[in-house]
Structures are given as C-alpha cells and as structure tokens.
Amino acid sequence: MILTAPSDCSKKESFRCIRGACGMSRIDETRAFVAVNIAILTVSDTRTLANDTSGDALATMIGEAGHTVFTREIIKDDADALEATFRGWIANPEIDVIISSGGTGVTGRDVTPEALDRVLEKKIEGFGELFRMLSYQKIGTSTIQSRALAGVANGTYIFALPGSTGAVKDAWQDILRWQLDIRHRPCNFVELMPRLKER
C-alpha cells in the first residue's frame, strides 16, 4: 500500500455526499482510491467455510469496495489460539487491517475481547460506541450484549465484530466502508496508516 500526502485543503475540491450528509461525511472525488489488504477472521466453534455466512458477506463487501482479502481463517473460541492468530497477522507487514467476527458476546465461550486485550496497543473506543448506537436503531436494547471493539497493534487496525451476518453488514456498510476509504472526509483511518507506529 502506497499513500500520498493529503490534498491541499485550500484547493477547490469535488465532493460526493454520503447519504445526503454533505455537511459531515463525504467522499472527495479528487483523491485517488487506495486499496488496503484485509485479513478476515471468523471466531466460531461450529462454522466452516461452507456455512460461514458472515465471513462470506465480509469478503464480498471488501471486494466490492475495491480492497483485497489477503487471507481468511476460522478459529474456535479459544483465547490463546486467537491471540496467536492476531499476533501472527499484525507481524505481517502486508496486512493493513484485521476484521474478526464472533466471540464478542457475554457467554463463557465469548473471548475475542479478552484475546485482543493481550494484543492491542491502543483502543479505538469510538468504534464500539458508534457500532452499538447504530445497532440500537435496529435491534434496540439487545445491542448492549455486544462487546464489539477496535484498536491498533503494530501499525495494524483490528476490528472485532459480532458474529451475525446482519451485524457484520452494519459495521461494514455504516462505518468501515467509509473509514477505510482514503477519500472519506473529513478524516479516515487509511490516511493515518503511515503514522500508526510513530514514537
């Protein structure tokens, strides 16, 4: 992935509104799109590639957005195995983003947040807050059972989503699709990638 410096804000720019919100989120058509490499992790004791509907949905949406699915795996709900997978992926300089689905609930087998606590260097608190706000509009107070979260480790973004296909679609279509597009204004995660490992 090669990033260029942000365009000069003083220039006259062409914007495409997102859902009519011209005063807020918008796509700057004068910027070139930058594809990122995304690893997909499904956390489940029961799913396989044959019935991993959430992973399939993510892979399809990522491809349609112009990004690359770098790798995809299914791991059981085991904190040690999850930690090892996360650490292996964040050590790979070719992986820009990790998106996991599953294991974010409150049962004894839901351990994705615990595994990520061992790995993350910084948490992006607003991701979980925004996800639950958006989810509340569709499933009401049931969203409180989700421990969706995000953060950064070794210059890699990690987003942990609930395992349902609906939740995965909501997170991608309403948040990640835009934040992983370097043309998104006023800001986005991609333009910050070169600075994630600053000291």
Side-chain angles (χ1 to χ4, degrees):
M1 176 188 63
I2 300 175
L3 299 181
T4 57
S7 58
D8 183 350
C9 292
S10 65
K11 293 179 180 178
K12 183 178 180 182
E13 295 171 322
S14 172
F15 294 114
R16 176 162 52 91
C17 299
I18 297 173
R19 299 188 180 183
C22 278
M24 297 166 25
S25 295
R26 59 198 185 277
I27 293 296
D28 180 354
E29 301 285 6
T30 67
R31 275 185 158 181
F33 178 79
V34 174
V36 299
N37 290 333
I38 303 176
I40 299 175
L41 177 63
T42 298
V43 183
S44 174
D45 288 334
T46 59
R47 290 193 185 179
T48 66
L49 285 176
N51 63 7
D52 180 18
T53 55
S54 295
D56 289 342
L58 262 179
T60 297
M61 293 184 293
I62 288 168
E64 289 175 347
H67 299 299
T68 301
V69 176
F70 186 82
T71 188
R72 178 178 171 185
E73 289 190 28
I74 299 176
I75 302 289
K76 292 188 181 299
D77 293 275
D78 177 272
D80 292 337
L82 291 172
E83 178 187 2
T85 300
F86 286 132
R87 289 195 183 282
W89 284 355
I90 65 173
N92 186 337
E94 295 189 76
I95 296 177
D96 303 305
V97 178
I98 299 168
I99 304 177
S100 72
S101 66
T104 61
V106 296
T107 73
R109 296 289 295 165
D110 291 320
V111 294
T112 302
E114 286 71 25
L116 279 176
D117 280 343
R118 306 175 186 176
V119 175
L120 293 179
E121 297 163 2
K122 291 186 178 180
K123 289 186 178 181
I124 305 172
E125 306 286 0
F127 175 80
E129 296 164 359
L130 179 56
F131 173 81
R132 282 180 283 276
M133 182 195 77
L134 295 168
S135 179
Y136 177 78
Q137 299 171 16
K138 298 185 178 181
I139 64 172
T141 60
S142 295
T143 192
I144 201 170
Q145 296 184 22
S146 166
R147 296 188 294 152
L149 75 155
V152 178
N154 195 36
T156 304
Y157 287 112
I158 306 176
F159 303 94
L161 315 178
S164 75
T165 304
V168 163
K169 288 181 177 179
D170 289 344
W172 179 266
Q173 293 171 350
D174 294 336
I175 306 174
L176 296 178
R177 172 186 176 188
W178 309 112
Q179 281 298 301
L180 295 179
D181 189 332
I182 198 169
R183 303 169 301 168
H184 181 270
R185 294 295 187 94
C187 56
N188 60 80
F189 286 138
V190 179
E191 64 189 355
L192 297 177
M193 285 180 176
R195 301 182 56 196
L196 291 180
K197 297 174 78 173
E198 284 180 347
R199 291 289 182 255

